[in-house]
């Protein structure tokens, strides 16, 4: 059955989707929308059954996250199911997963295992807190990443305490960064002929999203606070050498041959007061319309 896609740019690539919940499905959804041949694999356990994370299959959330994908179910804890996955991986271009690092190693579907049968594979991983380090075995959730990454401390009105963002921003950004990394790795593979392991995490993505607040801390040791609807970068414009209140003409130009040279340096900004008396707004004449007669 054919269905419309946003693009066919990635139609030559086959992607195995081992992801669950939101961050991983978001990454693969981008690839599917751009035309990739995506096979979503529901990784079952030995007992089988049970609803997959992400809600009912026919529900709006599931359908939104997994559009433009085909699907199959495999019990990866069964040697036969693992063998089927490895046969698929041998011919695929991309594998994306968001298992905890210890889980995929225990299942035998980690990057090194897949790379042994397909050196050209681009393997995308999303975790809560990275593939190593003290928290790497912990499951990650969007709200936890928002808190640990600092976003909740700068969201909301001043004095109201930490506030969660209304969308799952850590999940969504981690998914987008993973998709971008996969595309970059596919471009690099055209040169080297080798695949690689692309990694991101909810916490990494959330810290990236702090943007100018993080830069202010790293460079100025300035801890950002809640600002409500204000936009701090616009309100922090500073003038290195402001002009005087009476000087509104540009600085004189210095001539060198036929070229006109003006003093270098950043532009300066100045609020010029309006000294003209305020004129009352003209009144608009109003007339009542005559009533229509039957």
């Amino acid at each position: 059955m054919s269905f419309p896609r946003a693009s066919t740019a990635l139609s030559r690539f086959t992607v195995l989707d081992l992801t669950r919940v939101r961050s991983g499905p978001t990454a693969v959804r981008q690839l599917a929308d751009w035309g990739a041949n995506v096979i979503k694999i529901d990784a079952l356990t030995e007992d089988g059954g049970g609803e997959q994370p992400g809600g009912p299959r026919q529900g709006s959330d599931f359908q939104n996250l997994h559009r433009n994908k085909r699907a199959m179910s495999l019990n990866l804890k069964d040697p036969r199911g693992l063998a089927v996955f490895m046969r698929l991986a041998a011919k695929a271009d991309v594998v994306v997963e968001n298992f905890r690092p210890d889980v995929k190693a225990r299942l035998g579907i980690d990057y090194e295992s897949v790379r042994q049968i397909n050196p050209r594979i681009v393997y995308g991983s999303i975790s809560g807190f990275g593939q190593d380090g003290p928290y790497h075995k912990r499951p990650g959730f969007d709200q936890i990443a928002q808190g640990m990454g600092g976003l909740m401390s700068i969201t909301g009105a001043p004095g109201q305490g930490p506030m969660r963002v209304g969308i799952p921003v850590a999940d969504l950004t981690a998914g987008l960064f993973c998709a971008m990394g996969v595309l970059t790795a596919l471009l690099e593979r055209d040169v080297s002929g080798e695949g690689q392991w692309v990694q991101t995490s909810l916490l990494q993505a959330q810290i990236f999203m702090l943007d100018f607040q993080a830069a202010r801390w790293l460079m100025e040791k300035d801890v950002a606070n809640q600002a409500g609807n204000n936009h701090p970068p616009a309100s922090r414009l500073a003038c290195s050498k402001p002009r005087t209140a009476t000087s509104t003409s540009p600085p004189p130009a210095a001539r060198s041959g036929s070229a006109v040279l003006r003093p270098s340096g950043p532009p300066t900004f100045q609020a010029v007061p309006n000294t003209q008396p305020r004129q009352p707004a003209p009144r608009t004449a109003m007339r009542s319309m005559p009533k229509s007669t039957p």
Side-chain angles (χ1 to χ4, degrees):
M1 174 178 169
S2 61
F3 41 85
R5 300 176 186 265
S7 171
T8 58
L10 303 183
S11 60
R12 66 186 184 277
F13 298 116
T14 296
V15 180
L16 302 184
D17 180 7
L18 288 169
T19 66
R20 303 173 297 166
V21 191
R22 188 170 306 279
S23 62
T26 297
V28 183
R29 177 180 60 186
Q30 300 303 116
L31 307 178
D33 284 350
W34 297 328
N37 173 32
V38 175
I39 303 173
K40 171 177 164 46
I41 298 175
D42 293 329
L44 304 178
T45 56
E46 294 97 333
D47 53 3
E51 189 174 283
Q52 293 291 307
R57 184 173 291 274
Q58 299 303 322
S60 59
D61 196 26
F62 191 100
Q63 292 293 313
N64 174 48
L65 288 168
H66 299 291
R67 62 176 181 252
N68 293 334
K69 304 176 184 179
R70 296 182 292 164
M72 65 184 299
S73 298
L74 286 176
N75 183 357
L76 296 177
K77 291 187 176 181
D78 187 310
R80 295 171 298 177
L82 180 61
V84 172
F85 170 76
M86 287 301 185
R87 287 201 301 271
L88 292 170
K91 296 182 179 181
D93 298 285
V94 178
V95 171
V96 183
E97 57 83 25
N98 59 340
F99 288 104
R100 295 199 320 268
D102 57 320
V103 171
K104 61 174 171 284
R106 188 165 64 245
L107 290 172
I109 58 172
D110 55 297
Y111 171 65
E112 291 300 331
S113 298
V114 176
R115 183 175 179 272
Q116 295 300 317
I117 62 170
N118 185 356
R120 289 175 53 84
I121 199 72
V122 172
Y123 192 101
S125 292
I126 304 176
S127 61
F129 306 101
Q131 299 298 314
D132 51 24
Y135 292 169
H136 77 283
K137 292 185 179 181
R138 294 188 180 186
F141 298 95
D142 177 86
Q143 187 163 343
I144 294 175
Q146 287 194 32
M148 292 182 66
L151 182 64
M152 291 174 64
S153 68
I154 59 175
T155 302
Q160 292 188 356
M163 177 68 67
R164 179 186 177 274
V165 176
I167 62 171
V169 62
D171 283 333
L172 298 178
T173 51
L176 293 174
F177 289 151
C178 181
M180 186 185 304
V182 166
L183 294 176
T184 304
L186 288 171
L187 287 173
E188 197 279 334
R189 191 181 71 174
D190 288 341
V191 177
S192 68
E194 296 287 329
Q196 57 184 293
W197 189 6
V198 176
Q199 305 174 18
T200 190
S201 71
L202 303 187
L203 186 58
Q204 286 174 305
Q206 191 54 80
I207 292 174
F208 171 89
M209 292 297 289
L210 290 184
D211 196 47
F212 62 85
Q213 289 96 336
R216 282 164 52 186
W217 161 249
L218 292 173
M219 299 186 66
E220 306 167 13
K221 302 304 179 187
D222 182 3
V223 178
N225 298 315
Q226 292 169 305
N229 289 330
N230 290 337
H231 193 262
S235 62
R236 285 168 58 88
L237 287 175
C239 304
S240 59
K241 293 182 180 179
R243 300 174 190 170
T244 62
T246 57
S247 175
T248 58
S249 60
R255 292 191 175 274
S256 173
S258 60
V260 177
L261 306 178
R262 296 195 178 274
S264 60
T268 58
F269 301 89
Q270 173 192 350
V272 180
N274 183 7
T275 59
Q276 299 296 324
R278 184 176 179 181
Q279 300 295 328
R283 294 180 176 272
T284 303
M286 300 290 292
R287 308 189 287 183
S288 59
M289 299 297 293
K291 294 182 179 181
S292 60
T293 56

